[in-house]
């Protein structure tokens, strides 16, 4: 009979395979698991309601979406592009430094620059390769290295800055999860402890980018 409690997993697998509504599938799976485990319907609703109330802070993220949408619609991305283009004497490493700074500052305000597809591939990577060709043509290996470094810059900027905004979904999820485990934490406290991590990661990336520029220059001088 204990295996009957696994019917919820079967429901989830079948529901997702058929492309059914995600929320409906999860709730039905939870209900079936509760019933076969001896939990009555009223108790199930109580557990479901308590879970929602304990994690209701996650929904605060949706209140920030209109503001973020307005900022992006009024040229946030284009402003970042224009700022980068105005910079003089750029090297690939300096371009990566500028972009990561913009990425982390935007993250602190809950604004996403949309990452690899919308920013790295069409803008940062081509600009870095163009800057790398100032002294001589890039070898296929150097092209790949710049591509990899451009992608890594986005990953570093996103990973270490996503918890800098107090109403971001990740911060609210951490806070609600810790609360449900009996360790209540304040979202602002999570942000406070994220700042030094983001700063340290940026400093390390700046150093690495400088080494990358020097290595690229030496290779081109040979």
């Amino acid at each position: 009979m204990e295996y009957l409690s696994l019917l919820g997993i079967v429901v989830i697998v079948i529901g997702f395979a058929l492309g059914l509504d995600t929320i409906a599938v999860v709730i039905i799976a939870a209900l079936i698991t509760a019933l076969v485990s001896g939990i009555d319907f009223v108790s199930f609703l109580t557990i479901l309601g308590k879970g929602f109330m304990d994690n209701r802070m996650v929904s605060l993220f949706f209140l920030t979406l209109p503001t973020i949408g307005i900022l992006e619609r009024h040229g946030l991305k284009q402003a970042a592009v224009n700022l980068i283009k105005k910079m003089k004497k750029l090297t690939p490493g300096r371009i990566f430094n500028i972009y990561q700074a913009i990425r982390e500052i935007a993250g602190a305000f809950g604004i996403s620059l949309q990452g690899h597809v919308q920013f790295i591939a069409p803008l940062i990577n081509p600009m870095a390769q163009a800057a790398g060709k100032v002294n001589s043509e890039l070898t296929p290996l150097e092209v790949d290295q710049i591509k990899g470094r451009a992608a890594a810059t986005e990953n570093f900027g996103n990973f270490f800055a996503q918890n800098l905004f107090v109403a971001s979904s990740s911060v609210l999820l951490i806070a609600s999860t810790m609360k449900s485990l009996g360790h209540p934490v304040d979202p602002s406290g999570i942000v406070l402890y994220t700042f030094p991590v983001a700063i340290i990661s940026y400093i390390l990336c700046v150093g690495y980018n400088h080494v990358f520029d020097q290595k690229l220059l030496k290779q081109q001088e040979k």
Side-chain angles (χ1 to χ4, degrees), residues 28-147:
I28 293 174
L31 177 60
I32 292 176
T33 301
L35 294 178
V36 298
S37 299
I39 301 175
D40 60 81
F41 185 70
V42 176
S43 298
F44 167 74
L45 292 179
T46 301
I47 295 172
L48 188 66
K50 183 178 184 302
F52 174 78
M53 292 301 294
D54 290 343
N55 295 277
R56 65 188 183 277
M57 289 183 63
V58 176
S59 61
L60 292 177
F61 170 72
F62 295 104
L63 298 178
T64 67
L65 293 179
T67 302
I68 296 172
I70 291 174
L71 290 173
E72 293 186 348
R73 184 173 181 178
H74 284 77
L76 173 71
K77 178 179 177 180
Q78 190 59 44
V81 172
N82 293 337
L83 175 63
I84 294 174
K85 287 183 176 179
K86 290 178 180 179
M87 301 294 179
K88 304 297 183 182
K89 297 182 180 180
L90 290 178
T91 63
R94 291 174 184 172
I95 292 175
F96 299 148
N97 293 340
I98 295 169
Y99 174 72
Q100 187 171 343
I102 294 174
R103 188 73 169 82
E104 294 195 3
I105 292 173
F109 290 94
I111 301 169
S112 173
L113 296 180
Q114 303 301 324
H116 294 282
V117 177
Q118 290 86 351
F119 225 93
I120 295 297
L123 176 66
I124 302 302
N125 178 50
M127 289 183 65
Q129 291 198 32
K133 293 179 181 178
V134 173
N135 297 317
S136 65
E137 287 296 320
L138 297 171
T139 65
L141 176 59
E142 291 169 344
V143 170
D144 289 339
Q145 288 175 336
I146 290 177
K147 287 180 181 178

